Amino acid sequence: MLTRVLKILFQCLFVRPLVLVLIGLNVRFQERIPSEGPAIIAANHNSHLDSLVLQSLFPLRLLDRVRPVAAADYFLRNKLIAWFSLNIIGIIPVPRTFRHSEGDPLAGCSEALESGNILIIFPEGSRGEAETMDEFKAGVAHLAQRHPDVPVYPLFLHGCGKALPRGEGIFVPFFVDVVAGEPMRWGGDRNEFIQQLRLEIENLAEYCQRPAWD
Amino acid sequence: MLAVSTILAKVFAWLKPERALADLLPRLYSWWAIVTLVTVALVLQQPYSLYFFGLVSFLALKEFYSMIPTRRVDRSILFWAYLAIPIQYYWIHIKWYDVFIIFIPIYMFLLLPMRMALMGATYGFLRAASTTQWGLMTCVLCISHIAYLGILDVEHVGPSGGAGLIMLLLLLTEGNDIAQYVWGKTLGRTKILPKVSPTKTWEGFLGGLATTVGMSYLLAPYLSLFTSGQAILAGVLIGVSGFIGDVVMSAIKRDLGIKDTGTTLPGHGGVLDRVDSLIYTAPIFFHFCFYLYY
């Protein structure tokens, strides 16, 4: 109960003012963003701000159902960060490396989808270099295969990597562009699915103006 | 007036839903929000109106720095530039005019390139230094002149005080924008600056100017101590400089290849799209008043 109150306070007093006033969003195709689960949002990843921006796209009543999928080795690295990530942000931890003997690494994600949650997945698996897109990992395709009825929404984000890139301590306000895509369905082939998803996100990038950043 | 136009727009949308008026209602709703916020800011008195105009500066500067090309190494420079906003508005709060007027054009102008040189990245140095300063001059220095109007004393500027002058400036500037648009839409034939803004016409400009002078003549007695001659001159200054502010921002947007500076105000575009004419009218109107009364 207390953690839930803290979670809502954190959203209302920190995340939403940060995202809506200090950052500021330009959302293209807002109407494409799903209003209920189960669904998977697959976005490019540049900054810790990405998850907060994506959570802010949903109304507060969906707060408990919008779950960022995040690297267990990073977000569970000590007790305090683990408590914060699991209870205040509401992440679903996944291992970045695993052995088959350890069981199903995506069990948490599957469970969340089955109970109607909206998963936020960054297929790049890491923030990487700011405002560039790395190779996609296969996890999202595995999930799509397991849950063929769950729509996967490609989504392009631009600006978070300028505002708070990896390895930088100071936050600098920049507008963030969000471009939502049409939902994709499982087509039968993991590699093809990943390629298609990447292509969709690259196409969405064309909708926003991205001034030089060099 | 806003109420009448909202009702008209609603009725029109209801009668002819197929006509391309989709932009008008969100535009009017944004106007309601702007008018409410400005009124609250002016009624609450100091220092709350400073927070309001500081926020306008911040939103405009953020739009500007988000739409121009920037260098990765300059993140900390932009951070310093944002810090100039509370400092600039603090000078207004303590009524230190001499520093208010030189802080950005001299001290920030000298400080930021110094910091940039110490970082050692010389590629695109001049461009980065100039665009950063351009943002500060327009979005912070020029806009903060509105707030300085607000702290002018009742004994100098008359019973309605600085808030009356802000009200006059805002009504005339925004009225001028709308009047130029309406005159241009109805009578516009001769293009005035086709390379910069193809929709602007001589008819729109002159009709808007005449309307603004008329509004100034009618409104000034309630909001200021202007004589009728001064009111007419204020109308001319705002009509002309408002037009110039509009086309200067158009030229920048054309240079960058964008149409709107943002989507903060539905129907208007970004904050910068709405305050573009104020960037010119605010300092000019301010110095006109300052010259008359101080």
Side-chain angles (χ1 to χ4, degrees):
Chain A
M1 185 61 204
L2 178 67
T3 51
R4 199 181 139 69
V5 171
L6 286 176
K7 183 177 184 178
I8 292 170
L9 283 180
F10 180 71
Q11 277 288 324
C12 296
L13 300 180
F14 179 74
V15 175
R16 307 258 157 163
L18 171 79
V19 170
L20 302 176
V21 181
L22 280 183
I23 296 177
L25 301 183
N26 290 325
V27 185
R28 294 292 304 266
F29 308 120
Q30 170 102 46
E31 69 282 0
R32 290 180 183 169
I33 293 167
S35 55
E36 55 186 13
I40 296 174
I41 309 277
N44 57 325
H45 198 20
N46 292 306
S47 164
H48 281 321
L49 297 172
D50 291 337
S51 296
L52 304 183
V53 164
L54 290 174
Q55 280 190 317
S56 303
L57 294 174
F58 295 91
L60 272 178
R61 71 182 164 80
L62 286 177
L63 183 59
D64 292 328
R65 317 205 122 230
V66 181
R67 315 276 308 270
V69 175
D73 57 281
Y74 188 88
F75 287 96
L76 303 183
R77 67 180 182 275
N78 67 45
K79 266 197 175 148
L80 183 67
I81 291 176
W83 173 83
F84 183 79
S85 306
L86 291 168
N87 295 297
I88 304 298
I89 306 288
I91 67 160
I92 299 174
V94 290
R96 276 195 274 211
T97 53
F98 68 98
R99 275 189 297 266
H100 283 285
S101 58
E102 289 167 354
D104 178 10
L106 295 173
C109 298
S110 278
E111 226 167 83
L113 285 175
E114 273 154 21
S115 48
N117 286 313
I118 298 171
L119 258 53
I120 294 172
I121 294 187
F122 301 110
E124 290 165 88
S126 159
R127 288 165 294 163
E129 177 92 353
E131 304 301 335
T132 56
M133 202 146 64
D134 300 326
E135 278 298 310
F136 278 17
K137 306 275 191 287
V140 63
H142 281 280
L143 279 176
Q145 185 178 19
R146 262 188 229 180
H147 306 274
D149 297 331
V150 174
V152 178
Y153 292 80
L155 192 142
F156 178 74
L157 286 171
H158 170 75
C160 293
K162 291 161 89 171
L164 189 68
R166 181 183 190 167
E168 290 278 349
I170 57 166
F171 162 80
V172 179
F174 276 103
F175 263 96
V176 168
D177 291 289
V178 180
V179 192
E182 303 272 13
M184 288 170 56
R185 296 277 174 176
W186 170 245
D189 183 276
R190 280 205 294 268
N191 261 334
E192 231 168 67
F193 187 83
I194 289 289
Q195 292 306 322
Q196 185 62 28
L197 180 65
R198 193 186 166 89
L199 196 69
E200 294 276 340
I201 295 181
E202 279 166 359
N203 287 341
L204 293 175
E206 300 303 317
Y207 283 99
C208 64
Q209 183 237 358
R210 286 161 293 149
W213 172 250
D214 46 31
Chain B
M1 201 161 78
L2 198 50
V4 171
S5 36
T6 307
I7 292 166
L8 276 180
K10 281 252 183 197
V11 169
F12 200 77
W14 182 66
L15 287 177
K16 291 186 172 178
E18 73 283 359
R19 282 284 296 275
L21 265 179
D23 218 24
L24 194 58
L25 271 178
R27 201 181 166 94
L28 285 168
Y29 291 145
S30 297
W31 269 123
W32 277 104
I34 295 170
V35 169
T36 312
L37 280 172
V38 170
T39 312
V40 169
L42 290 184
V43 168
L44 281 179
Q45 289 296 321
Q46 305 306 333
Y48 297 101
S49 68
L50 291 185
Y51 292 136
F52 175 76
F53 291 111
L55 181 68
V56 172
S57 279
F58 170 71
L59 294 176
L61 189 65
K62 180 161 56 104
E63 273 177 3
F64 184 76
Y65 286 157
S66 298
M67 72 184 191
I68 60 167
T70 40
R71 303 188 307 168
R72 225 166 265 246
V73 289
D74 286 337
R75 284 183 78 255
S76 64
I77 298 299
L78 298 181
F79 184 78
W80 284 45
Y82 281 113
L83 281 186
I85 299 174
I87 300 172
Q88 171 74 358
Y89 282 85
Y90 178 71
W91 305 135
I92 304 176
H93 178 61
I94 62 170
K95 302 190 180 190
W96 195 359
Y97 178 77
D98 299 330
V99 174
F100 156 80
I101 206 73
I102 60 170
F103 171 62
I104 286 171
I106 296 183
Y107 290 99
M108 290 308 286
F109 175 72
L110 296 177
L111 182 75
L112 293 184
M114 176 196 90
R115 184 77 183 79
M116 286 168 67
L118 292 180
M119 290 189 314
T122 53
Y123 173 76
F125 186 96
L126 184 58
R127 185 197 71 184
S130 320
T131 50
T132 312
Q133 182 68 16
W134 212 90
L136 280 181
M137 290 293 287
T138 50
C139 304
V140 187
L141 179 69
C142 291
I143 297 297
S144 68
H145 278 77
I146 311 173
Y148 210 103
L149 274 178
I151 62 157
L152 298 181
D153 296 320
V154 175
E155 56 203 83
H156 284 105
V157 300
S160 49
L165 292 176
I166 293 184
M167 215 56 205
L168 188 60
L169 168 70
L170 296 180
L171 286 172
L172 292 182
T173 305
E174 301 306 321
N176 182 57
D177 281 358
I178 297 168
Q180 294 202 357
Y181 175 80
V182 171
W183 283 104
K185 275 273 172 191
T186 48
L187 293 180
R189 299 247 184 305
T190 337
K191 293 208 184 333
I192 187 166
L193 277 168
K195 280 187 183 156
V196 180
S197 187
T199 56
K200 298 259 183 317
T201 57
W202 275 106
E203 291 82 357
F205 169 60
L206 293 174
L209 181 60
T211 311
T212 306
V213 170
M215 280 198 305
S216 181
Y217 183 79
L218 294 174
L219 288 172
Y222 301 102
L223 296 168
S224 67
L225 291 179
F226 291 164
T227 63
S228 41
Q230 289 165 349
I232 288 168
L233 186 54
V236 172
L237 286 174
I238 288 178
V240 174
S241 60
F243 171 80
I244 295 172
D246 202 335
V247 293
V248 165
M249 199 48 75
S250 294
I252 288 173
K253 285 188 280 188
R254 198 149 277 256
D255 181 19
L256 296 169
I258 55 176
K259 191 174 162 288
D260 286 336
T261 60
T263 56
T264 310
L265 303 168
H268 294 255
V271 172
L272 213 44
D273 291 315
R274 190 66 274 137
V275 301
D276 52 6
S277 37
L278 276 170
I279 286 169
Y280 268 71
T281 59
I284 287 171
F285 182 75
F286 172 83
H287 290 295
F288 175 70
C289 300
F290 205 69
Y291 173 77
L292 284 180
Y293 299 126
Y294 279 82

